[in-house]
Amino acid sequence: MEITRLQPAGLVQSPAFSHVAVVPAGATTIYVGGQNGVDDTGTVVSDDVAEQSVRAVDNVSTALEAAGATLADVVQWTVFIAEGADLAAAYGAIGPRLAGPGAPPLVTAAVVSALGVPGALLEVSAIAAVLRD
């Protein structure tokens, strides 16, 4: 039993993302709500998008660990980046951590006019799946 990530013929082929994920029955699905680059008090860690991005992914990692999962178990990422923030810097700081082993996860990204946390430049959420014995 395994989680299968597909890059079907006829769709763009990318090393950064897959298009389809098939999670078998019996797997535990874990949903992580939007995480910003904030510390444990809710304070934005920096005005630098790369630093915020790293902290946001760290926060997702912390949430996943609480549910018995890791970043390698992420099936799908959703990334919102504030208009005007440097997407290349953000992705450069976290891209390798989003990928995990094997075929890459699904990724949805959008540039938005603002985020709910004042000063936040990026927000990420994740869906993970863990195969249990």
Side-chain angles (χ1 to χ4, degrees), residues 18-96:
S18 293
H19 293 282
V20 179
V22 180
V23 177
T28 300
T29 305
I30 302 158
Y31 300 88
V32 178
Q35 299 295 312
N36 302 107
V38 298
D39 63 19
D40 62 350
T41 68
T43 302
V44 174
V45 296
S46 169
D47 61 359
D48 178 76
V49 70
E51 290 180 39
Q52 283 191 32
S53 299
V54 168
R55 183 56 186 251
V57 173
D58 287 347
N59 291 345
V60 169
S61 180
T62 297
L64 288 169
E65 287 173 16
T70 69
L71 293 176
D73 298 311
V74 173
V75 174
Q76 180 172 350
W77 289 99
T78 300
V79 181
F80 297 112
I81 189 162
E83 192 171 33
D86 185 344
L87 178 60
Y91 189 75
I94 62 174

